Amino acid sequence: MSVISSVAGSSRFVRRLLLSGLLVLAWLAAAAGAARAQTFQTSAEFAILMDAQTRGVLYAKAPDAPMIPASLAKLMTAAVVFEEIKGGRLSLDDTFVISENAWRRGGAPSGGSTMFAVVNSRVSVADLLRGLIVQSGNDAAIALAEGIAGTEENFARLMNERAKAIGLRSSTFRNATGYSDPEQRTTARDLAVLSLYLIENFPDLYPIFGEREFTWNKIRQQNRNPLLAMEIGADGLKTGNLPESGYGLVGSAVRDGRRLVVVLNGLRNARDRANEGRKLLEWGFNNFETREIFKAGEVISEAQVYGGARGRVPLVAREPVRVLVPRGASDRLDVKVVYRGPLKAPVAAGTQVAELRVTRDEVDALVLPLYTDEAVESGSLSQRAFDALFELGTGAIRDALSKLL
């Protein structure tokens, strides 16, 4: 059974309507008299703009629709390599051979993006990473995959394992380069989550994404990310394009201590990719402000408890609940607490049992775990018997309601 509750008004007055365990309310932002911020429009087929601190989504366009990643898949390649280094299984000083396969399929003979590594030469992991990230070198991607996993196919399995561990819900990887494959798909939301994973978990390696150029084999190449040259605080991440995918970009920028991540794909050309990326980031920085709606440890709602000494337990967040809203706007925020319940006693304090979900204009602005603020011990025999009878009598009604909602 899904249980949903929410809070109304800036005074946080709580109206609770119990419908066989189902609580539904709405929270309305209290700002008055201000005009709604202008809605952003993009020519990208897929797009998402996410705030790093709150994980709030400021803008979304088909964020969960499957799309072809092209070279944006190299972000997942980098994630696997970074994890190997962090885990001590690989060193930046280690060297891998540029196989004939890596050279022929990803090097100079391929006609695609390459770091121009020489066949049968040995290249350090540090240089291969720069070839992968700065130059988008397919030879670097294949050499790293073969050096770590023996074959690119085996490496793709590591990519999918890591993607699942990170929490990418809709991504499947079949190679390290981003070359076209009918089964290789991702989503704008997954790439935003992956980007934040790279930024937050690898502070010593992430700066490679911000390097403006890299020279290998006496060939100097500029970083393909156009945002880096725009002086908007950008420090990453990656571009990609294939005829079937259009032009794509994953970018991140920091302004006044606030980081945003943008993902775009399906654009017509490199100019549109650069312009749309810059415009969406600047729109996010200029038109949103942070609003705190609950303090850390403040009781947000309650969950029902079955067979306990008490029938409810308070739910709290471990950190302040902040959401980004258009500056000076009176946008509607729907705040819901969702859990499977009633909870079965005993319930320990500090147990994650629910999620706080905040939506703004049908966009998922925030999803945050909620925890029990107190312990609830098992009730007496008579309490448990009463709860059992109540649960038996209302179960059918709850099931019917859950099908309708």
Side-chain angles (χ1 to χ4, degrees):
M1 178 191 63
S2 295
V3 177
I4 306 175
S5 68
S6 52
V7 182
S10 58
S11 65
R12 299 194 178 99
F13 171 74
V14 180
R15 294 186 297 122
R16 290 187 174 91
L17 174 63
L18 181 59
L19 295 174
S20 301
L22 186 64
L23 243 56
V24 183
L25 294 166
W27 183 90
L28 301 178
R36 180 184 299 270
Q38 182 179 0
T39 301
F40 187 87
Q41 299 293 331
T42 180
S43 57
E45 187 176 355
F46 312 91
I48 194 168
L49 182 66
M50 185 176 291
D51 175 71
Q53 182 183 21
T54 65
R55 294 300 195 271
V57 176
L58 282 62
Y59 177 84
K61 181 179 180 181
D64 300 306
M67 66 184 192
I68 300 169
S71 280
L72 300 179
K74 291 185 175 83
L75 293 174
M76 195 69 243
T77 302
V80 174
V81 179
F82 285 6
E83 194 64 45
E84 291 295 301
I85 294 170
K86 185 176 181 179
R89 296 176 294 276
L90 187 65
S91 166
L92 289 171
D93 296 327
D94 290 341
T95 60
F96 291 147
V97 173
I98 305 299
S99 69
E100 183 173 349
N101 177 56
W103 173 75
R104 192 170 300 281
R105 290 183 55 241
S110 70
S113 55
T114 175
M115 70 177 288
F116 295 101
V118 177
V119 64
N120 294 325
S121 65
R122 298 192 71 92
V123 182
S124 71
V125 170
D127 288 330
L128 288 172
L129 277 173
R130 285 172 171 82
L132 173 81
I133 294 169
V134 180
Q135 298 173 336
S136 195
N138 295 315
D139 48 357
I142 297 171
L144 285 164
E146 292 177 341
I148 290 172
T151 67
E152 197 173 359
E153 182 180 3
N154 289 339
F155 187 81
R157 294 192 185 98
L158 297 179
M159 295 172 72
N160 290 314
E161 289 173 5
R162 178 51 43 189
K164 184 177 181 180
I166 293 169
L168 309 192
R169 298 180 178 179
S170 306
S171 295
T172 301
F173 298 97
R174 290 292 178 252
N175 56 60
T177 58
Y179 281 160
S180 183
D181 185 289
E183 295 182 348
Q184 185 151 266
R185 294 292 185 271
T186 187
T187 66
R189 191 187 304 275
D190 274 4
L191 288 179
V193 172
L194 173 57
S195 300
L196 290 172
Y197 167 79
L198 291 167
I199 292 165
E200 295 171 355
N201 289 277
F202 307 100
D204 296 334
L205 295 168
Y206 174 71
I208 298 174
F209 286 98
E211 294 184 10
R212 300 287 292 275
E213 62 181 49
F214 181 59
T215 300
W216 189 258
N217 198 16
K218 299 181 180 180
I219 301 172
R220 177 188 173 202
Q221 296 188 66
Q222 298 289 325
N223 194 313
R224 295 164 183 261
N225 183 352
L227 301 179
L228 298 178
M230 292 182 180
E231 298 184 354
I232 58 173
D235 58 10
L237 293 155
K238 192 76 188 63
T239 61
N241 76 278
L242 285 170
E244 58 267 42
S245 70
Y247 285 76
L249 167 70
V250 177
S252 184
V254 179
R255 182 181 297 178
D256 298 327
R258 199 171 125 219
R259 178 181 290 279
L260 299 180
V261 169
V262 61
V263 180
L264 301 169
N265 206 7
L267 289 152
R268 293 178 299 174
N269 52 55
R271 175 176 291 183
D272 286 351
R273 174 174 65 190
N275 290 338
E276 292 298 293
R278 174 186 56 78
K279 284 162 51 180
L280 189 47
L281 282 169
E282 290 187 337
W283 176 80
F285 282 126
N286 293 334
N287 289 282
F288 285 81
E289 61 186 359
T290 303
R291 181 175 299 163
E292 183 174 301
I293 58 175
F294 295 104
K295 299 182 183 301
E298 180 178 354
V299 174
I300 294 173
S301 187
E302 294 179 331
Q304 288 182 287
V305 179
Y306 167 79
R310 292 183 289 112
R312 296 181 179 274
V313 61
L315 301 178
V316 299
R318 290 180 173 175
E319 56 194 69
V321 179
R322 300 186 178 99
V323 64
L324 287 166
V325 296
R327 293 185 185 278
S330 55
D331 284 42
R332 175 186 176 93
L333 294 178
D334 290 326
V335 181
K336 299 177 180 179
V337 176
V338 182
Y339 69 99
R340 299 288 296 181
L343 309 178
K344 186 176 180 180
V347 179
T351 304
Q352 181 183 340
V353 297
E355 280 186 342
L356 178 69
R357 298 179 184 174
V358 183
T359 58
R360 183 192 63 252
D361 292 335
E362 300 183 356
V363 173
D364 295 329
L366 180 66
V367 178
L368 201 68
L370 294 180
Y371 303 84
T372 53
D373 191 41
E374 302 170 359
V376 178
E377 302 298 331
S378 295
S380 65
L381 182 60
S382 60
Q383 287 172 321
R384 296 199 300 273
F386 177 81
D387 284 352
L389 288 172
F390 182 80
E391 180 68 13
L392 181 64
T394 59
I397 300 174
R398 273 202 313 273
D399 290 342
L401 282 172
S402 65
K403 293 177 182 179
L404 292 173
L405 294 170

